[in-house]
Amino acid sequence: MRRPLLIYVAGPLYTPGDRHYLCAIDAVCTDCGFRTYLPHRDGGLAPSSGRRTLSFFSSDVSALEDCYAVVAVLNGTDVDSGTAWELGYAYARGKPLIGIYEDTRVDNPPADLNLMITNSVRVISSEAQLRRALTALASGRPGVREKKHGNYDDADIARLATTVKSMKLDLSATEPARFGHETAVLCCLDAVLSIHRNYRRFVVPRVVRFRSEHPDMRLLGDMLSLYDRLGPREFAHVVTQSRDTRRAELLHSVCARLRDIASGCPTIEEEKKAIRDWMTRAGAIGYLTFGVKGIGLATFQYLRMLFGVSTVKPDVHIKRFVGVSLGRPIRDLDAIGLIEAVASRIGTEPTSLDHALWKRLSDPSQSEPPNREDLGDAGCDS
């Protein structure tokens, strides 16, 4: 039996009246056969400010990624700022948008709404119209061949899958369960060293040397204590084996953020598992809430891979490969979605496909990258 499509119900939710109205809209959606995500019900009511709001933001953005369409309440003299953001995000991801406007304070709806809303949202003004719009949405559900995924469709996936198959890649070299390092410390070091550096020449020797010379660096707290004891300059020399204090400071920030995520975990295994669980829940869009300046989407995805999440990093090789194969530039999130979809289609793990593509594309001579033995239990990807 086909699972019902998911509708994201958006709108202001700050008063009991606001929430009651949203619940009424939610009921119409479910009555029309849809599943729903209602932010205050499913994500919770966020505090007004502070770091604690990040989990609510992440939950709502994840639902926007997963939903088929958005139904938004547009009432008010201007559209609620959070609702406008949600609509903009969903529009950029190619989602159908329906807006309901029943506010009697405006003489000429929807003409008086902001043009960015009226040019992207189907605006309706009654429950009856909403039911008709939802019925049309359900009956007009695109078939598999036509379904849009962000800024690409199934034809793009099929084309890319054909290209990948023709490359005869070795997809057996990387099992996601074994990808990465045995400690969170080494995962962080690998990821930060990999930023804008050649993996074979720069990253591998430094990870190998650090692993050999500092076997006592087992938990993230150990790394943070070392930084506090040495200071940025000496830490850069000892850990990154360079004079790059900015990279040393970034490594400290990443370790501190992940230590917060895995707070209270006393063992290597528990620390890694707590981080892996968080990385799995966060998804690719978790980089928005990771909150470490200098860690973009590609590095965040690589961190997720190092901690055991089977996914793809949109590095220069992946983006160039996808763009050339499809004949157009591709966005980072779409590159991730495309390669993950291709991996599913050809029956392999996204991490394995990412790694195989990196092996083929990162070295013009197509020589093999460092074997896992070169890093002990370390992964080899960047």
Side-chain angles (χ1 to χ4, degrees):
M1 183 176 179
R2 179 179 288 171
R3 193 181 188 196
L5 296 168
L6 179 67
I7 296 289
Y8 186 106
V9 181
L13 44 74
Y14 304 107
T15 70
D18 289 336
R19 295 191 289 274
H20 179 78
Y21 188 79
L22 285 171
C23 288
I25 300 300
D26 180 271
V28 174
C29 294
T30 55
D31 191 45
C32 290
F34 293 92
R35 292 182 297 124
T36 59
Y37 178 89
L38 192 57
H40 70 271
R41 180 193 66 201
D42 301 317
L45 280 172
S48 59
S49 63
R51 191 176 186 86
R52 291 180 300 162
T53 62
L54 291 177
S55 62
F56 298 94
F57 174 83
S58 183
S59 175
D60 290 353
V61 173
S62 180
L64 284 168
E65 285 285 328
D66 293 340
C67 76
Y68 178 72
V70 174
V71 172
V73 174
L74 307 178
N75 293 337
T77 54
D78 199 6
V79 177
D80 171 71
S81 58
T83 304
W85 190 96
E86 290 163 328
L87 287 169
Y89 187 95
Y91 178 79
R93 303 301 289 155
K95 316 281 186 178
L97 307 177
I98 299 172
I100 183 164
Y101 195 92
E102 297 183 296
D103 199 317
T104 58
R105 290 173 293 180
V106 177
D107 294 331
N108 189 28
D112 289 339
L113 289 171
N114 186 284
L115 65 89
M116 302 301 286
I117 298 295
T118 57
N119 282 284
S120 59
V121 180
R122 178 182 177 182
V123 181
I124 58 176
S125 58
S126 69
E127 178 185 323
Q129 290 180 5
L130 176 60
R131 288 183 178 276
R132 287 196 293 271
L134 290 170
T135 300
L137 190 65
S139 62
R141 179 184 183 183
V144 173
R145 294 182 182 277
E146 303 169 316
K147 186 174 180 180
K148 292 292 288 183
H149 314 259
N151 292 314
Y152 61 93
D153 56 25
D154 269 30
D156 293 326
I157 297 171
R159 183 176 178 182
L160 200 57
T162 299
T163 301
V164 168
K165 289 178 182 178
S166 71
M167 296 171 71
K168 301 187 184 304
L169 299 169
D170 177 11
L171 297 171
S172 63
T174 305
E175 293 295 331
R178 299 203 309 267
F179 189 86
H181 303 269
E182 72 271 25
T183 69
V185 168
L186 289 174
C187 290
C188 293
L189 179 62
D190 187 320
V192 172
L193 287 177
S194 297
I195 299 173
H196 305 310
R197 288 292 184 270
N198 181 278
Y199 194 81
R200 297 175 179 86
R201 295 193 300 269
F202 185 85
V203 181
V204 172
R206 284 165 172 78
V207 172
V208 170
R209 180 176 170 182
F210 180 85
R211 193 169 181 269
S212 173
E213 294 181 353
H214 301 278
D216 55 325
M217 293 289 109
R218 310 295 286 171
L219 296 171
L220 292 170
D222 299 329
M223 194 71 139
L224 296 174
S225 296
L226 181 65
Y227 181 92
D228 292 339
R229 186 167 69 251
L230 298 179
R233 183 173 298 180
E234 185 63 18
F235 183 84
H237 175 72
V238 170
V239 176
T240 69
Q241 298 148 49
S242 71
R243 298 178 181 178
D244 191 347
T245 56
R246 288 188 178 181
R247 193 176 296 267
E249 291 166 354
L250 179 58
L251 177 58
H252 174 269
S253 297
V254 171
C255 289
R257 177 71 174 104
L258 293 179
R259 198 269 307 270
D260 288 345
I261 290 171
S263 178
C265 294
T267 68
I268 294 170
E269 293 76 15
E270 289 175 307
E271 186 171 69
K272 276 197 69 179
K273 182 180 184 303
I275 295 170
R276 181 173 62 252
D277 290 346
W278 183 89
M279 292 280 190
T280 301
R281 292 193 304 270
I285 50 87
Y287 84 99
L288 295 171
T289 61
F290 190 58
V292 176
K293 186 177 180 180
I295 299 298
L297 177 58
T299 303
F300 182 74
Q301 282 293 95
Y302 184 40
L303 266 173
R304 295 181 72 219
M305 294 167 70
L306 289 169
F307 278 99
V309 180
S310 188
T311 186
V312 177
K313 63 184 184 311
D315 63 13
V316 62
H317 306 296
I318 292 291
K319 289 177 64 179
R320 184 183 297 127
F321 167 71
V322 174
V324 170
S325 298
L326 298 182
R328 66 178 189 273
I330 201 77
R331 300 187 315 169
D332 288 3
L333 283 170
D334 289 334
I336 294 169
L338 276 161
I339 297 298
E340 288 183 343
V342 169
S344 176
R345 181 162 296 197
I346 66 176
T348 191
E349 290 285 347
T351 295
S352 298
L353 180 54
D354 177 283
H355 185 69
L357 286 169
W358 174 75
K359 288 170 63 177
R360 179 67 61 86
L361 302 171
S362 65
D363 189 346
S365 67
Q366 297 188 18
S367 62
E368 288 294 302
N371 293 321
R372 190 166 303 280
E373 290 75 15
D374 295 333
L375 294 175
D377 293 329
C380 46
D381 209 313
S382 178

